Amino acid sequence: MRILKSKEFSEQKCMHQEWVEKMVIETLRFDPPFHHTKRIVGKDMVVNNITIKKGASIVVMLAAANRDKKKFNNPNNFSIERHNANECLTFGMGSHMCLAKHFCIHLATETIYHFLKMYKTITLLENDVQYEPVMHARLPKQITLSF
């Protein structure tokens, strides 16, 4: 949905696999499917002058971190040319990084690239997409396309 809505989308650009991969990575930063996760604090830590004790259960707002203006220039703008989009927290980081991160990005890139090559015109037929009623994820119930 993001590529079809993007101002940066053009048929000429989408014929380059590198461009599609950049689009996938920026989409994962800008509009991740999972917005938060729970963690158990491993050691006492201080955040904004507030002490969080070891063993506390916290919610990490991944989607908010992906829009941090200290990390990402113009974070509320979708930009396929963003140089550090791959530094987002969508797949976690460190020991909590998803082992399938690179596989997922590659699979999405290959699939989207294939569809864009195969179908010269793809149109999103709905403007008001409905989402599943789940708290931690943003999953469309249905996406209707025209080829």
Side-chain angles (χ1 to χ4, degrees):
M1 288 182 346
R2 178 57 51 200
I3 190 173
L4 298 174
K5 291 180 178 183
S6 173
K7 293 176 186 171
E8 298 178 55
F9 175 76
S10 76
E11 287 184 26
Q12 183 180 3
K13 284 183 181 179
C14 72
M15 295 311 287
H16 299 284
Q17 196 164 2
E18 297 81 20
W19 183 88
V20 175
E21 181 179 64
K22 288 164 98 177
M23 184 277 308
V24 167
I25 294 168
E26 174 63 356
T27 299
L28 289 165
R29 182 203 67 84
F30 187 81
D31 192 13
F34 293 93
H35 288 196
H36 69 271
T37 187
K38 287 179 69 176
R39 293 287 184 258
I40 304 298
V41 178
K43 62 181 179 179
D44 288 358
M45 57 190 282
V46 177
V47 178
N48 291 335
N49 296 321
I50 298 171
T51 301
I52 304 171
K53 296 287 186 183
K54 177 181 177 178
S57 179
I58 61 172
V59 174
V60 179
M61 299 302 296
L62 302 171
N66 287 348
R67 300 280 184 106
D68 184 350
K69 59 185 164 194
K70 293 176 187 169
K71 181 71 175 176
F72 301 102
N73 190 32
N74 297 313
N76 294 322
N77 293 339
F78 181 82
S79 175
I80 293 168
E81 297 303 325
R82 185 175 304 281
H83 73 280
N84 65 338
N86 63 337
E87 296 173 18
C88 69
L89 295 181
T90 300
F91 288 98
M93 69 182 321
S95 64
H96 289 282
M97 188 175 86
C98 176
L99 293 175
K101 173 183 178 175
H102 299 291
F103 173 74
C104 292
I105 291 170
H106 180 74
L107 182 62
T109 299
E110 289 289 325
T111 302
I112 293 168
Y113 180 68
H114 173 76
F115 273 104
L116 292 173
K117 271 181 44 180
M118 197 159 98
Y119 302 105
K120 299 300 178 200
T121 305
I122 303 174
T123 307
L124 181 64
L125 295 179
E126 298 176 49
N127 285 330
D128 186 29
V129 175
Q130 301 295 310
Y131 292 88
E132 294 292 341
V134 292
M135 185 171 71
H136 65 285
R138 190 160 184 260
L139 305 172
K141 287 184 179 184
Q142 175 178 315
I143 300 171
T144 308
L145 302 172
S146 171
F147 298 96

